[in-house]
Amino acid sequence: MKYLLPFEKSLKPLYKELEEKKKNWETTNNIEEKIQQELKKIYNNLTAYQIAQIARHPDRPNTTDYINALFEDFIELHGDKKSGDDPSIIAGMGSFKGTTVAVIGSRKGNTLKDMILCNHGMIKPEGFRKIARIVNLASTTFKSPIITFIDTPGAFVSKESEKKGQIEAVSEPILALFKAKVPIAAVIIGEGISLGALSMSIADKIIMLKYSFFSVISPEGGASILYNDRKKSEELASSLKFTAANLFNAGIVDKIVNEPIGGAHRNKEKVIKATGDAINNELETLLKENEKQLKTNRIEKYKKIGIYAD
Amino acid sequence: MKYLLPFEKSLKPLYKELEEKKKNWETTNNIEEKIQQELKKIYNNLTAYQIAQIARHPDRPNTTDYINALFEDFIELHGDKKSGDDPSIIAGMGSFKGTTVAVIGSRKGNTLKDMILCNHGMIKPEGFRKIARIVNLASTTFKSPIITFIDTPGAFVSKESEKKGQIEAVSEPILALFKAKVPIAAVIIGEGISLGALSMSIADKIIMLKYSFFSVISPEGGASILYNDRKKSEELASSLKFTAANLFNAGIVDKIVNEPIGGAHRNKEKVIKATGDAINNELETLLKENEKQLKTNRIEKYKKIGIYAD
Amino acid sequence: MDINIFRRKKKIVVSVLTEKKVKETPVRCQSCGNLIKYEDLKENLKVCPYCGYHFRMTISERINLIADSGTFSEIDTEIKTVDMLDFKDLLTYKERIKQTKKETGLDCAVITGKAKIGGFNTAVGVFAFEFIGGSLGSATGEKLTRLIEYAKKRKLPLIIVFSSGGERIQEGIYSLMQVAKTIQAVDSFKKSGGLFIPILTNPSYCGTAAIAMTGSIIIAEKGSSIGISGPRITKEVAKQNIPDKLKQAESLLQNGFLDIVVDRYLLKATIIQFLKHYNRRAI
Amino acid sequence: MDINIFRRKKKIVVSVLTEKKVKETPVRCQSCGNLIKYEDLKENLKVCPYCGYHFRMTISERINLIADSGTFSEIDTEIKTVDMLDFKDLLTYKERIKQTKKETGLDCAVITGKAKIGGFNTAVGVFAFEFIGGSLGSATGEKLTRLIEYAKKRKLPLIIVFSSGGERIQEGIYSLMQVAKTIQAVDSFKKSGGLFIPILTNPSYCGTAAIAMTGSIIIAEKGSSIGISGPRITKEVAKQNIPDKLKQAESLLQNGFLDIVVDRYLLKATIIQFLKHYNRRAI
Ligand SMILES: [Zn+2]
Ligand SMILES: [Zn+2]
C-alpha cells in the first residue's frame, strides 16, 4: 500500500505485519484475512467525506487507465482550433467492442510533472473548447457514441483562464453535448466538481463508480463559503448528498458500478472491467434508439431536473 | 490640401497660389479653374499604382465616415466572445433607410493613437472572429442585411496573431458569410488586400469605389516576392489588374461608385452619398429575393470564379 | 485603489441597501468613502454622486429602472423555493428560506414576467441578490426556463438582469443542473430567432455568469465584477493571486466577452436601442 | 540552430529535390549540414538519416508514400493552368507555365484522384511544390473543388496533402477567390458528414494553409513551417521579428491548431487509423 487514507490508519500495523511476513516467507493468509475484516469494518460505515477522499486517492484508476484498458486503436486528438491545447483533457477516437467511439476525459496526471502540466485535472478554457470540438466531430463526422470520463476538481481558476474566457468556454461542451446526434454515456470515476464536471456530464446515461462523487462544489470550497471555515468540510460533505447512492436515488445517476471493499485502487482491473461492462450495456440500448429521439429525450430529461413547490 | 500624392506634385504651386489669394481676399476663380484642369490631366491618366495611392490617401473617407453619414442609431458591438476585441474591426447594428442592418468594416484609425490601436487596419484573429460573430447575429437573430466596408492592408502579421490562430480565424467570416441567410453587400472603399479583404468580401453584390483596389497581395509585397525588389511595385501593380475597372470587367465587382476628378477625399460628402445610393439600390433588389435562394446563388457565384483550360 | 480592494475583501457578501435598513443613516460609498444621504443615493439611481460607483439595487428598484412604469406583470408566481436535501450549514436551509422570505417578501431568487420597455413588449427576468445572494436554485432555474420558453412562444425579446453569486450550494447537484437546463433553453430560444440580452450587474459569478455569456448581445453595468468564481472560491482554489481588475466588466469588454459596458443611467436607453433594431427587422 | 535559421533565410524558396537534379551528387542536409547520398535519402523517405529533417517530396513520391501501390487514378486531368491577366514579372506568366510544365510534366499545382489507402477507398489530392511553389491558382482551386465534390458524392474520406507557398500572385484576384471557393466546398462536404484530413507539409502558407485549417482532423509533418504568411511577406509586413519556431508544426500543435504532428514514416499508418475508425461508424 503506497498511500493509506486518514481513516484507514488502523490498517497500518496490519500492512506492516503483512510485509514482514512476506519478507520472511511466512504464510500470510491469516493477516490478509485480518486486513479484509478491518477494511470491511471501515468501508461499511463510510461518511460522505471519506468517500470523497477515496474518490481522490492518487492510486485510483484514472482516465488514462480506462482508456488503455477499454479502447482499441485509441488515437489522441489535440487542440481546440481556437486558443490552445489543454493537457487536462484527453480526447480522441477509439474502438469499443468493434464500434468507433469518441472518448473524452479529464486527466490529473500520474507523475508530479504530469500533474503540473494537467493542473491537477482543473480544466482550462481551451480544454472546454476541445471537448466541444471532439463532441461535434463525433456527432457530425464519425457518427460515433461519445464516452466521457469525469475526474476533475473543476474549472481552472487563474489569470490566464479568466482572460481566455473560462466563463464563456464552460458552456461550449454543454451545448455541444445537448446538440449531439449520437448516444452519450458519462462515467464519473473519481471526483466530479462544479462546472468542470457538469461540462462533461450531459449524457443520455450517467454511470457512477460507487466511491466517486459529483457535487456542485468541493466540500472544502463549500465549507469556506458557508461556514467561513474549511474545517467544516466533513460536515458539509454529508449535507451535499453527492455520493453515487445519493445521486442514484435522486434520479440523476442511472447506474452505479460496484467497487470492492477498500476501493477501486485495491482491485483496478476488476473495477475497470465492470465499468466497461456497464458502458457496454448502456450503449447497446442507446444505439438501438433513433438519433433524433435520443437528442429530444436528453433535452427533456434535463428540463425536468429540479425540485420546487408549485 | 493637407497631403498631396507624389504624382500630384505639379499642383503644389497652384495650391500655394490659391492660399495666397484667399489670404489677400482676392478672387480665386481663375486659379481654381487651373487646379481643376491640372487635376483632370493627372486623373485622366492614372496608373494602377497611382490608384492604389489614392485608395490609401489618409483623408479618404473611411469606414467611420460612412457609418456616421449613412446609418441612424448605429450602436457598436464588441468582442468575439472567444479571445479578444479587435479595434481594427468596427461592427454593430444600425438603421439604413428605416431598415435594420448589420454594419461591419475595417478601420485604420484617424489619429496616430487610433492608427496604432487599430494596427493601421490590419486585422487580428479576434477581428476575424468578431466579423463572424456579427454575421451570425445578423443572420440568426436580427434577420438583417449585412453591409461590409473594406479598407485593410490585410491580416495582421505578428507573434501574438500567429499564436491566436490567424490561419484558422481568417476562414471564420468567410464561412459565416456563405452561410448567412440575409442579403450581403460588400463595399470596397479603399485598399482591399489579401485574406483580410477577402474575409469581408463574400457578398451577393460587391460595390467598389472608382479609386479603390482589391488585390491578392499588396503591390509592394508582390514585388518583394516576384522581383525580390520592392521598387518594382509600380510595375507589378499594373500586372495585378486590381482596379475597380479591371474587376468590373472580370465580373468580380457588380457596381462601381464614381469618384470626382481628384478622388473621394476632394468631395467626401458627395462620394459617401453616392455610395449610400449604390448600397440602397442593391439592397432593394436583394431584399425581394428568397433568403434560401440568395444563399444558394451566392455559393454558386463563387464556385464559378476562376479561369482555366478544360 | 488599494484601500477599496481591501475594504471589499473584508465584506465579501455585500448586502443590498434597502430603505428599511438605512433610511435614517447616511451611507458610506464603498469605492470613494464619501458619506451619502440615502435619499440622494436613491434619487441618483443608487450611483454614488461623487465617484460613480454603482450600488446594488433591490429587485423592485431594478424593475422600475428597466420596465416602463406599471407595465411589469409577473408570471409563474406559484414556483417557490424548497429544501430537498435536508441541508444544513450554520442554519438549516428550511430556516434560511423562511427568514429570507420574511425579509424580502420573495419566494425565489428571480422574478420573471412580461413588461414593456420603451414601448416594446418583452419577457423580463430580474435576479434578486437579496434572496440568498441571487443564487441559482431549482426554483430559480425553473422560472428562468419557463420565462425563456414564454419568450420563445410569444416571440418576445428576452431581457434578464443578472445579479448572482452563482449556484445555490444548499441545493447541491440540483443547483448545478440548473446551469445546463437554462443554457439549453437559451440555445433553443436563440436558434428560433430570439433576441436574448443579458444584463450583468455586480456581481455575476459561476454558473449564472455562464448562462449570461450565452446572450445574443451581452451588456454589463459599469464596474460589475464578473467571473468563473466568486472571491471566496477564488481564494480557496486559485494557486495565484487574481487581480480584482481582471473580473471587472471593463476588462471583460477588452478581452472580448462583452458587447457593451454601460453606466446605469444609460442602461434602459441602450436596451431600447436594440429593441428598436430588432423590431425593424427586414425579413 | 542559429546556423540553420540563417541558411533557411538565405534560400527562401527551397526547391524540391528530384532525381534528375541531384542523382550524381550528394545532398547537404539543410538542418544538420551532413552530406547524404541521394539514394540513401530516397530510401529513407527523404528524411535525413542524421537529424530527421524532412526534405520535400515530389508529387509522385508523395503519392507513392500515401496511396496503396498502383491504386491511385487521377481525375480531372483536363483542367490546365492558363494565364488570364497577361501577367508579367521577371518572366511572363505564359512562359513560366510553359517552363514549369516542361520541367515537371504537370499542368497544375495539384493532382487529384481516387486511391486506396490501407485498403480503404479515398479521394486524394496532392500539392506539387515543384509547380510554382504549389501556389493556388484557378486551375488548382477548380481541381480541389471538384475533388471535394467527388468525395461528397461518393461519400469518400478526403485526404489532401498540402505543400504550398499560398495564393498564385500571377492570377491576381482569381487566385484569392479560390480560397473562398475551396473553403466553402470543404464546409459543405463536412456538413454532409464527410471526413477531411488535410496533411500539412513543409511549407503551408496563407490561403492554402487556411483551407487546410478547416479539416476535420488536421495532421502535419514534423518540422513543417505553417503560417498566415511566408517568410518574404512576413519580412515585408510584420513590424516585429517573428521567430521561425512559432510557425513550426510543433508550436501550432501546442497552440491548439493541429491534432497530430507525425514523422513521415508514420504518416500513412496514422491516416489509416482514422480511416479505420471512420469505417467502423455505428450510425
Ligand atoms: Zn463613491
Ligand atoms: Zn540532417
Side-chain angles (χ1 to χ4, degrees):
Chain A
M1 274 291 103
K2 262 197 290 188
Y3 177 71
L4 285 177
L5 293 166
F7 57 88
E8 294 175 337
K9 265 185 209 153
S10 59
L11 291 165
K12 208 174 171 183
L14 296 173
Y15 277 118
K16 215 171 164 186
E17 203 182 323
L18 177 70
E19 255 164 60
E20 210 63 41
K21 291 212 179 212
K22 274 188 181 163
K23 218 190 281 170
N24 301 333
W25 297 79
E26 293 172 42
T27 53
T28 56
N29 289 4
N30 195 20
I31 182 73
E32 274 175 8
E33 176 87 0
K34 266 192 198 165
I35 289 175
Q36 271 310 310
Q37 269 168 6
E38 185 60 25
L39 271 175
K40 212 175 270 179
K41 219 171 78 192
I42 299 168
Y43 274 73
N44 279 339
N45 288 292
L46 291 170
T47 67
Y49 194 65
Q50 285 168 344
I51 289 178
Q53 287 169 291
I54 304 168
R56 288 162 170 173
H57 195 290
D59 293 334
R60 192 171 172 80
N62 61 28
T63 296
T64 316
D65 295 328
Y66 287 96
I67 292 179
N68 288 340
L70 298 176
F71 305 96
E72 271 172 57
D73 298 328
F74 178 76
I75 185 159
E76 190 179 350
L77 299 171
H78 291 273
D80 65 352
K81 309 287 168 73
K82 298 282 175 235
S83 64
D85 184 45
D86 181 2
S88 88
I89 295 294
I90 179 166
M93 307 306 300
S95 228
F96 183 71
K97 320 244 174 205
T99 294
T100 296
V101 293
V103 187
I104 301 168
S106 49
R107 172 162 59 183
K108 288 181 171 176
N110 288 325
T111 64
L112 185 68
K113 201 186 140 201
D114 276 4
M115 286 179 197
I116 292 165
L117 205 69
C118 296
N119 280 304
H120 304 272
M122 294 180 286
I123 306 166
K124 292 183 184 177
E126 50 266 46
F128 290 116
R129 295 186 181 124
K130 175 156 72 176
I131 300 172
R133 185 175 84 82
I134 304 303
V135 167
N136 290 335
L137 186 69
S139 174
T140 313
T141 309
F142 284 91
K143 313 278 186 210
S144 61
I146 297 162
I147 301 167
T148 68
F149 291 96
I150 298 169
D151 184 21
T152 173
F156 187 45
V157 175
S158 74
K159 261 192 266 186
E160 178 81 341
S161 288
E162 291 280 2
K163 260 195 190 166
K164 281 189 158 183
Q166 200 59 287
I167 211 176
E168 185 279 336
V170 77
S171 66
E172 294 194 30
I174 296 175
L175 287 170
L177 285 164
F178 271 123
K179 215 176 62 180
K181 281 189 212 137
V182 293
I184 308 167
V187 192
I188 301 164
I189 56 170
E191 68 178 332
I193 293 176
S194 187
L195 296 171
L198 180 69
S199 77
M200 283 190 282
S201 73
I202 309 302
D204 302 309
K205 295 290 175 187
I206 302 183
I207 298 166
M208 193 162 171
L209 269 76
K210 188 175 180 184
Y211 299 133
S212 64
F213 72 110
F214 185 16
S215 178
V216 65
I217 196 163
S218 73
E220 297 79 9
S224 151
I225 290 183
L226 294 181
Y227 291 94
N228 208 0
D229 181 1
R230 213 177 188 280
K231 284 180 212 121
K232 300 280 186 181
S233 308
E234 183 128 23
E235 209 171 317
L236 187 74
S238 303
S239 262
L240 284 167
K241 308 279 192 303
F242 60 39
T243 67
N246 295 147
L247 297 170
F248 183 79
N249 288 337
I252 303 281
V253 161
D254 301 283
K255 168 86 193 161
I256 297 177
V257 174
N258 202 19
E259 294 190 39
I261 292 287
H265 56 288
R266 284 190 167 86
N267 197 342
K268 287 195 189 196
E269 223 169 293
K270 196 176 162 190
V271 171
I272 292 175
K273 198 196 161 299
T275 308
D277 291 345
I279 296 170
N280 192 38
N281 277 341
E282 301 298 348
L283 281 192
E284 271 184 355
T285 321
L286 293 172
L287 278 167
K288 280 177 203 143
E289 283 183 51
N290 169 288
E291 47 183 276
K292 219 174 158 179
Q293 194 56 44
L294 215 53
K295 186 181 149 180
T296 312
N297 292 350
R298 194 183 308 141
I299 290 172
E300 282 307 312
K301 174 181 114 176
Y302 281 86
K303 209 191 248 175
K304 283 186 199 126
I305 298 179
I307 297 176
Y308 47 85
D310 69 348
Chain B
M1 275 291 104
K2 263 196 289 189
Y3 177 72
L4 287 177
L5 293 166
F7 57 88
E8 294 176 336
K9 265 185 208 153
S10 59
L11 291 165
K12 209 175 172 183
L14 296 173
Y15 276 118
K16 214 172 165 183
E17 205 181 322
L18 178 70
E19 255 163 59
E20 210 63 43
K21 289 207 182 220
K22 274 186 180 167
K23 217 190 282 172
N24 302 331
W25 296 80
E26 292 173 44
T27 54
T28 55
N29 289 5
N30 196 23
I31 181 73
E32 276 176 4
E33 177 85 3
K34 266 192 197 164
I35 288 175
Q36 270 310 308
Q37 271 168 6
E38 186 60 22
L39 270 176
K40 209 175 274 180
K41 222 173 74 191
I42 298 168
Y43 275 73
N44 280 339
N45 289 292
L46 289 171
T47 67
Y49 194 66
Q50 286 167 344
I51 289 177
Q53 288 170 292
I54 303 168
R56 289 162 170 173
H57 195 290
D59 294 334
R60 190 169 173 83
N62 60 29
T63 297
T64 316
D65 296 328
Y66 287 97
I67 291 178
N68 289 339
L70 297 176
F71 304 96
E72 270 172 59
D73 297 328
F74 177 75
I75 185 158
E76 190 178 351
L77 299 172
H78 291 274
D80 65 351
K81 308 287 167 75
K82 300 280 175 233
S83 64
D85 183 44
D86 182 3
S88 87
I89 294 294
I90 179 167
M93 307 305 300
S95 227
F96 183 70
K97 320 243 175 206
T99 294
T100 296
V101 294
V103 188
I104 301 167
S106 50
R107 170 161 62 180
K108 288 180 172 175
N110 289 325
T111 64
L112 186 66
K113 199 186 139 201
D114 277 3
M115 285 178 198
I116 292 165
L117 206 67
C118 296
N119 281 305
H120 304 271
M122 293 181 288
I123 306 165
K124 291 182 185 177
E126 49 267 43
F128 289 116
R129 294 185 181 127
K130 175 155 72 175
I131 300 171
R133 185 174 84 84
I134 305 303
V135 167
N136 290 336
L137 185 69
S139 174
T140 313
T141 309
F142 283 91
K143 313 278 185 210
S144 61
I146 297 162
I147 301 166
T148 69
F149 291 96
I150 298 169
D151 184 21
T152 174
F156 188 44
V157 176
S158 74
K159 261 191 268 187
E160 177 83 339
S161 290
E162 291 280 3
K163 260 195 192 168
K164 280 188 158 184
Q166 201 59 286
I167 211 178
E168 185 279 337
V170 77
S171 66
E172 294 195 30
I174 296 175
L175 286 170
L177 286 163
F178 271 123
K179 214 176 62 178
K181 281 189 213 137
V182 293
I184 307 167
V187 191
I188 301 163
I189 58 171
E191 67 178 334
I193 293 175
S194 188
L195 296 171
L198 179 70
S199 77
M200 284 189 281
S201 73
I202 309 301
D204 302 309
K205 294 289 174 186
I206 302 182
I207 297 165
M208 194 161 171
L209 269 76
K210 188 176 179 185
Y211 300 133
S212 63
F213 73 110
F214 185 17
S215 178
V216 65
I217 197 164
S218 73
E220 297 79 9
S224 151
I225 290 183
L226 295 180
Y227 291 95
N228 207 0
D229 182 1
R230 211 177 188 279
K231 285 180 211 122
K232 300 282 187 181
S233 308
E234 184 128 24
E235 210 171 316
L236 186 75
S238 303
S239 262
L240 284 167
K241 308 281 192 302
F242 60 39
T243 68
N246 295 147
L247 296 170
F248 184 80
N249 289 337
I252 303 281
V253 161
D254 300 283
K255 168 82 191 165
I256 298 178
V257 175
N258 202 19
E259 294 189 40
I261 292 287
H265 56 289
R266 283 189 167 87
N267 197 339
K268 286 195 189 196
E269 223 169 293
K270 197 176 160 188
V271 171
I272 292 175
K273 197 194 162 300
T275 307
D277 292 345
I279 296 169
N280 192 37
N281 277 341
E282 300 299 348
L283 281 193
E284 272 185 353
T285 321
L286 293 172
L287 277 168
K288 280 177 204 141
E289 283 182 51
N290 169 287
E291 48 184 276
K292 216 172 161 181
Q293 192 57 45
L294 214 54
K295 186 181 149 180
T296 312
N297 291 349
R298 194 183 309 140
I299 290 172
E300 282 306 311
K301 175 182 113 175
Y302 281 86
K303 208 191 246 176
K304 283 187 197 124
I305 298 178
I307 296 175
Y308 48 85
D310 67 349
Chain C
M1 188 62 176
D2 276 330
I3 296 165
N4 301 338
I5 288 170
F6 180 67
R7 272 208 197 106
R8 271 190 221 160
K9 274 210 178 134
K10 264 180 69 182
K11 44 188 282 176
I12 284 162
V13 180
V14 184
S15 63
V16 183
L17 294 174
T18 60
E19 248 161 274
K20 215 165 44 186
K21 279 190 197 155
V22 291
K23 206 173 175 184
E24 303 303 313
T25 50
V27 179
R28 189 175 295 281
C29 173
Q30 287 183 273
S31 177
C32 68
N34 278 306
L35 281 171
I36 317 157
K37 264 169 58 190
Y38 184 75
E39 291 304 317
D40 292 349
L41 191 62
K42 208 184 154 188
E43 185 75 14
N44 204 33
L45 303 176
K46 280 197 168 168
V47 174
C48 170
Y50 302 100
C51 75
Y53 175 78
H54 286 46
F55 284 74
R56 295 220 172 89
M57 295 181 108
T58 64
I59 198 162
S60 55
E61 286 168 340
R62 188 57 82 175
I63 290 170
N64 287 337
L65 177 73
I66 285 176
D68 296 351
S69 177
T71 63
F72 180 77
S73 85
E74 203 181 339
I75 58 167
D76 298 322
T77 50
E78 71 282 8
I79 298 173
K80 292 177 172 66
T81 305
V82 295
D83 169 40
M84 67 281 267
L85 299 178
D86 253 328
F87 195 95
K88 192 180 153 298
D89 48 81
L90 291 174
L91 217 63
T92 65
Y93 184 38
K94 283 193 185 68
E95 188 55 35
R96 196 180 291 280
I97 296 170
K98 213 170 120 187
Q99 276 189 15
T100 304
K101 187 173 170 154
K102 204 175 137 196
E103 275 169 31
T104 62
L106 300 169
D107 288 313
C108 170
V110 73
I111 278 191
T112 57
K114 58 176 181 169
K116 279 189 192 292
I117 299 180
F120 296 103
N121 289 317
T122 59
V124 172
V126 179
F127 273 77
F129 193 79
E130 56 269 42
F131 194 96
I132 317 181
S135 55
L136 183 72
S138 284
T140 329
E142 181 65 19
K143 282 182 83 170
L144 288 173
T145 305
R146 289 198 192 179
L147 176 71
I148 297 161
E149 285 173 353
Y150 179 92
K152 187 179 168 189
K153 207 169 157 189
R154 286 165 183 76
K155 295 187 179 303
L156 293 173
L158 170 68
I159 320 287
I160 299 178
V161 185
F162 289 83
S163 173
S164 166
E167 289 80 301
R168 173 103 30 98
I169 300 172
Q170 290 89 347
E171 297 193 15
I173 200 74
Y174 292 102
S175 165
L176 187 61
M177 291 293 160
Q178 303 310 309
V179 181
K181 172 173 164 172
T182 314
I183 284 178
Q184 157 53 30
V186 166
D187 192 56
S188 153
F189 171 68
K190 278 167 62 192
K191 281 207 181 98
S192 78
L195 171 67
F196 169 35
I197 306 182
I199 318 291
L200 292 100
T201 73
N202 193 28
S204 299
Y205 292 137
C206 310
T208 35
I211 297 168
M213 279 294 139
T214 63
S216 317
I217 286 164
I218 307 178
I219 299 178
E221 263 192 355
K222 204 182 136 182
S224 300
S225 183
I226 302 162
I228 193 70
S229 55
R232 285 235 182 120
I233 274 293
T234 304
K235 214 180 131 196
E236 175 71 33
V237 304
K239 310 279 182 222
Q240 56 181 179
N241 182 37
I242 298 181
D244 278 12
K245 209 174 161 281
L246 198 61
K247 292 199 176 177
Q248 276 196 357
E250 291 71 13
S251 292
L252 270 89
L253 181 72
Q254 231 174 6
N255 291 332
F257 300 103
L258 299 175
D259 279 292
I260 295 170
V261 173
V262 288
D263 263 301
R264 184 172 290 158
Y265 70 92
L266 283 173
L267 179 59
K268 183 171 177 174
T270 306
I271 298 171
I272 293 173
Q273 196 86 305
F274 287 114
L275 295 177
K276 241 196 226 169
H277 285 314
Y278 189 65
N279 206 50
R280 280 193 203 134
R281 277 164 298 171
I283 296 159
Chain D
M1 190 59 178
D2 275 328
I3 297 166
N4 301 340
I5 288 167
F6 180 67
R7 272 205 198 108
R8 271 190 221 159
K9 272 205 178 140
K10 266 179 71 182
K11 44 188 284 177
I12 285 160
V13 179
V14 185
S15 63
V16 183
L17 295 173
T18 59
E19 248 162 273
K20 214 165 49 186
K21 278 188 194 157
V22 289
K23 206 173 175 184
E24 303 304 313
T25 50
V27 180
R28 189 175 293 283
C29 173
Q30 287 181 272
S31 178
C32 68
N34 278 308
L35 282 171
I36 316 157
K37 266 169 56 190
Y38 183 75
E39 291 304 315
D40 292 348
L41 191 62
K42 209 183 152 187
E43 183 76 13
N44 204 34
L45 302 176
K46 279 194 167 172
V47 173
C48 171
Y50 301 101
C51 73
Y53 176 78
H54 286 46
F55 284 74
R56 295 221 173 87
M57 294 182 109
T58 64
I59 198 163
S60 55
E61 285 167 340
R62 187 58 80 175
I63 290 171
N64 286 337
L65 177 73
I66 284 176
D68 296 350
S69 178
T71 64
F72 180 77
S73 85
E74 205 181 338
I75 59 168
D76 297 323
T77 49
E78 71 282 9
I79 297 172
K80 292 178 171 67
T81 305
V82 296
D83 168 41
M84 70 280 266
L85 299 177
D86 253 329
F87 196 95
K88 192 181 152 299
D89 49 82
L90 292 173
L91 217 63
T92 66
Y93 185 37
K94 282 193 187 67
E95 187 55 36
R96 196 179 291 279
I97 296 170
K98 214 169 120 187
Q99 277 189 17
T100 303
K101 188 177 167 149
K102 206 175 135 195
E103 275 169 29
T104 62
L106 301 169
D107 288 313
C108 172
V110 73
I111 276 191
T112 57
K114 57 175 181 171
K116 279 191 193 290
I117 300 181
F120 296 102
N121 288 318
T122 60
V124 173
V126 180
F127 273 76
F129 194 79
E130 56 268 43
F131 194 95
I132 317 181
S135 56
L136 184 71
S138 285
T140 328
E142 181 65 19
K143 281 182 83 169
L144 287 173
T145 306
R146 290 198 191 180
L147 176 71
I148 297 161
E149 285 173 352
Y150 178 91
K152 187 179 168 188
K153 208 169 154 189
R154 287 166 183 74
K155 297 188 179 301
L156 293 173
L158 171 69
I159 320 287
I160 300 178
V161 184
F162 289 82
S163 171
S164 165
E167 289 79 299
R168 173 104 30 97
I169 300 172
Q170 290 90 345
E171 298 194 15
I173 200 75
Y174 292 102
S175 164
L176 187 61
M177 292 294 160
Q178 303 311 309
V179 179
K181 172 172 163 171
T182 313
I183 284 178
Q184 207 299 315
V186 166
D187 191 54
S188 152
F189 171 67
K190 277 167 61 191
K191 281 206 181 98
S192 79
L195 170 69
F196 168 34
I197 305 181
I199 318 291
L200 291 100
T201 73
N202 194 28
S204 298
Y205 293 136
C206 309
T208 35
I211 297 168
M213 279 293 139
T214 64
S216 317
I217 286 164
I218 307 177
I219 299 177
E221 264 191 356
K222 204 183 136 181
S224 300
S225 182
I226 301 162
I228 193 68
S229 56
R232 285 237 182 119
I233 274 292
T234 305
K235 214 179 132 196
E236 176 71 33
V237 306
K239 310 280 180 220
Q240 56 181 182
N241 181 38
I242 298 182
D244 279 12
K245 208 174 160 283
L246 198 61
K247 292 199 176 177
Q248 274 195 0
E250 289 72 12
S251 292
L252 270 90
L253 181 72
Q254 229 173 6
N255 290 331
F257 299 102
L258 300 176
D259 279 292
I260 296 170
V261 174
V262 288
D263 263 301
R264 184 173 291 158
Y265 71 91
L266 282 173
L267 179 58
K268 183 171 177 175
T270 306
I271 298 171
I272 292 173
Q273 195 86 306
F274 287 112
L275 296 177
K276 242 198 226 169
H277 286 314
Y278 189 65
N279 206 51
R280 281 193 203 135
R281 278 165 298 171
I283 299 161

